[in-house]
Amino acid sequence: MAASMVGICCYVWRRGSCNLLGPATLCLTLRSKFLSSSSAHHGLLLSLHKRGVLKDSFPENAAQEQLPRLLQSGAQTVYCGFDPTADSLHVGNLLALIGLLHFRGAGHHVIAVLGGATAQIGDPSGKTSEREQLSADVVEANTHSIRESIQRIFTNHELHFHDGSRPLGTVTVLNNLSWYKNWGVVGFLSEAGRHFRMGTMLSRHSVQSRLKSAEGMSLTEFTYQLFQAYDFHHLNQIYGCKIQLGGTDQLGNLMSGHEYIHKVSGEEVYGLTIPLVTSTVGDKLGKTAGNAVWLNRDKTSPFELYQFFLRQPDASVEGYLKLFTFLPLAEVEKLMEQQREDPSKRLAHKRLAAEVTKLVHGKEGLETAKRCTNALYHSSVQALEEMSDEELQELFREAPFHELLLEPGTTVIDACRKVGAIPEGPRGYQMVSDGAVWINHTRTDNPEQVLIPKLHILANGLTLLRVGKKNFYIIKWLSL
């Protein structure tokens, strides 16, 4: 995919794992270079390296002098790209956005480019088979959804995490379809294709691994690196973009863009890579067992996102605090000291979950997550009363939601039968009598008990009904 604007170009691709570094002579560890260069020029880059947000640079001499000097010379533009192959980004993409946010916080301009064109081609990196073809309508809908998500996250950062000590850079969201839609195949190949060499393209790890597979590689996928390279060139020419940021699995595509620009214009451009974040067992973060943790609320609720980070292993928490939050490193260290003193309080886990949820869903989303946590795990009736219909449905996604007319004299057995929570006849009656039914976290064993406001019906007009351990039903009572 592609992205754009002036100065610095951050191009972030979150794909499958690939050849992480490529030829050793082409990639350079940021730490060694930054530590050997003048401290006046590398503050931001060294800070991001210490947090683990940045990994390597390309070409190999960039990190030592040229790139820090470029950043020090004035506000640059950082570019990051995302192919809308789904209708939401997931937490694996979040580090890319956080990289942009760090640059913006330092006064640089940032652009997120959505690959409305490249998503229809499909990046082969890290894939054992060709991606499913997406229609233009699906890609357009995905693009719209992801655009809203990115804009929301940048707004949350500005509202809740920026201290105002220096002006923020601008934010722009682009779609690379805008510079491809009027091109024909012949015109594109005539202008761009002649600058690529088959030997170099065939040598890329993403190509080699697919050519050796049983399925092979389609011509469409093979040309993907042309489009990504041209994106970088386009942004360099139109917006003055000189730096591309990508995941470590995207180094081959990043190099293609560097080589293409050097051949066409002779411009000096740079690349930075971010690490591929994995769990302690090596799974891509947020995609364990195929269940992605999404950034859109309708796919993963604030409560679910909060719980995902709250449940991270102890060994991962310090690293994730550095990667996924904007807490000063000294504060991270203090948190970890407190955690070591009393692990049972899980202070670091809670702060990690809170910071990430607030960034993705704002303060309201964090409050929702905490209410849901109290309602579910601490049996808090007050939390239930404060919850909206939407929050209850998010918390109990599989639970049926019923709107019922509250008639005078409605009993516990009436409510259970109206929502189909118990069998008809004597068996259902006996289940209630045996204490199998809970209403608002309180066991109920009298089937003929008339529903009492504030006990069985909360102030928000809701009733949470549970039968057994896991069968939940949500009732919204309508007055006569």
Side-chain angles (χ1 to χ4, degrees):
M1 109 192 52
S4 72
M5 222 173 151
V6 215
I8 280 198
C9 175
C10 281
Y11 202 5
V12 177
W13 295 70
R14 302 300 300 172
R15 304 281 194 270
S17 180
C18 200
N19 183 14
L20 297 184
L21 296 180
T25 56
L26 294 178
C27 217
L28 180 64
T29 301
L30 287 174
R31 181 174 177 81
S32 61
K33 284 295 182 180
F34 290 162
L35 292 180
S36 65
S37 61
S38 170
S39 60
H41 296 306
H42 62 60
L44 174 62
L45 296 179
L46 181 56
S47 172
L48 293 180
H49 172 73
K50 286 181 177 179
R51 302 188 74 95
V53 176
L54 294 183
K55 183 175 177 59
D56 297 299
S57 68
F58 177 84
E60 65 179 74
N61 63 346
Q64 187 169 11
E65 291 293 342
Q66 298 163 324
L67 184 53
R69 283 178 176 170
L70 178 64
L71 289 169
Q72 194 73 13
S73 67
Q76 305 298 323
T77 300
V78 181
Y79 141 71
C80 174
F82 304 85
D83 273 350
T85 53
D87 58 0
S88 171
L89 300 178
H90 55 76
V91 296
N93 302 116
L94 189 56
L95 187 57
L97 290 172
I98 286 174
L100 289 182
L101 289 168
H102 277 292
F103 277 104
R104 188 188 183 212
H108 301 290
H109 307 303
V110 297
I111 293 184
V113 170
L114 304 180
T118 42
Q120 298 180 59
I121 295 170
D123 182 6
S125 300
K127 295 294 179 181
T128 57
S129 60
E130 188 164 6
R131 292 176 182 269
E132 180 181 351
Q133 184 177 3
L134 300 176
S135 69
D137 289 342
V138 169
V139 171
E140 182 179 1
N142 290 350
T143 300
H144 177 75
S145 178
I146 292 175
R147 179 189 295 270
E148 290 185 341
S149 179
I150 290 174
Q151 291 172 334
R152 181 186 71 245
I153 290 171
F154 273 93
T155 298
N156 288 338
H157 174 262
E158 183 171 352
L159 290 175
H160 308 308
F161 296 93
H162 180 57
D163 61 10
S165 60
R166 65 183 303 168
L168 290 169
T170 61
V171 180
T172 305
V173 182
L174 301 177
N175 184 346
N176 68 3
L177 183 63
S178 65
W179 54 85
Y180 287 118
K181 62 183 180 181
N182 295 323
W183 270 47
V185 175
V186 174
F188 179 73
L189 290 177
S190 176
E191 179 169 326
R194 67 178 67 254
H195 297 285
F196 290 84
R197 293 295 172 262
M198 290 295 297
T200 303
M201 294 177 68
L202 286 167
S203 70
R204 302 298 186 209
H205 183 272
S206 59
V207 174
Q208 283 292 308
S209 61
R210 287 293 300 280
L211 289 178
K212 294 174 182 177
S213 68
E215 183 175 322
M217 173 181 256
S218 71
L219 176 62
T220 302
E221 289 181 295
F222 182 66
T223 63
Y224 186 89
Q225 55 185 297
L226 273 74
F227 286 90
Q228 182 169 340
Y230 185 81
D231 285 343
F232 196 1
H233 168 68
H234 174 85
L235 298 171
N236 175 255
Q237 293 296 300
I238 304 301
Y239 300 98
C241 180
K242 294 182 179 179
I243 301 178
Q244 180 180 6
L245 175 65
T248 51
D249 58 344
Q250 290 293 311
L251 183 60
N253 289 333
L254 187 153
M255 290 165 60
S256 293
H258 176 274
E259 292 165 2
Y260 177 58
I261 292 170
H262 195 264
K263 286 180 181 179
V264 172
S265 65
E267 285 273 347
E268 192 62 48
V269 295
Y270 311 93
L272 294 172
T273 64
I274 60 176
L276 188 65
V277 184
T278 60
S279 68
T280 53
V281 295
D283 295 314
K284 290 181 70 173
L285 187 65
K287 281 198 163 182
T288 305
N291 293 320
V293 178
W294 303 97
L295 303 185
N296 282 14
R297 183 170 184 157
D298 59 348
K299 296 173 75 73
T300 297
S301 70
F303 164 75
E304 291 167 326
L305 180 68
Y306 182 88
Q307 289 296 320
F308 172 78
F309 280 97
L310 190 64
R311 294 171 180 169
Q312 289 302 309
D314 292 350
S316 300
V317 173
E318 183 174 4
Y320 288 171
L321 280 168
K322 294 176 181 179
L323 286 172
F324 291 105
T325 79
F326 299 93
L327 298 175
L329 293 180
E331 188 171 347
V332 172
E333 180 56 35
K334 183 178 179 181
L335 264 174
M336 296 311 300
E337 288 178 4
Q338 294 172 335
Q339 174 115 331
R340 286 187 285 269
E341 291 172 0
D342 189 351
S344 64
K345 290 184 178 180
R346 308 185 82 237
L347 296 177
H349 290 78
K350 291 176 182 177
R351 188 64 181 275
L352 170 65
E355 294 289 306
V356 175
T357 305
K358 185 165 62 174
L359 175 65
V360 176
H361 294 294
K363 281 189 175 179
E364 289 186 4
L366 176 57
E367 291 169 0
T368 290
K370 289 182 175 179
R371 276 195 295 271
C372 290
T373 297
N374 288 332
L376 186 61
Y377 297 117
H378 304 294
S379 299
S380 170
V381 174
Q382 180 182 351
L384 280 176
E385 285 189 314
E386 293 172 349
M387 292 174 70
S388 65
D389 299 4
E390 180 187 26
E391 288 172 344
L392 264 177
Q393 291 178 72
E394 286 179 345
L395 179 57
F396 304 99
R397 283 189 182 274
E398 305 302 320
F401 183 88
H402 298 270
E403 290 187 338
L404 299 180
L405 193 64
L406 180 59
E407 300 174 342
T410 299
T411 63
V412 170
I413 193 73
D414 293 333
C416 291
R417 285 173 174 165
K418 285 181 178 180
V419 299
I422 59 174
E424 293 289 340
R427 182 165 169 246
Y429 194 95
Q430 189 63 45
M431 287 176 65
V432 179
S433 299
D434 291 343
V437 173
W438 297 67
I439 294 181
N440 301 330
H441 297 312
T442 301
R443 188 191 296 273
T444 302
D445 58 7
N446 181 3
E448 303 298 336
Q449 170 68 57
V450 175
L451 298 183
I452 301 172
K454 296 185 179 180
L455 176 62
H456 302 109
I457 302 171
L458 301 177
N460 53 6
L462 296 171
T463 294
L464 179 64
L465 178 66
R466 173 164 67 87
V467 179
K469 292 183 177 180
K470 297 182 179 180
N471 299 310
F472 289 93
Y473 302 82
I474 303 170
I475 303 173
K476 175 73 172 181
W477 294 101
L478 307 176
S479 300
L480 286 172

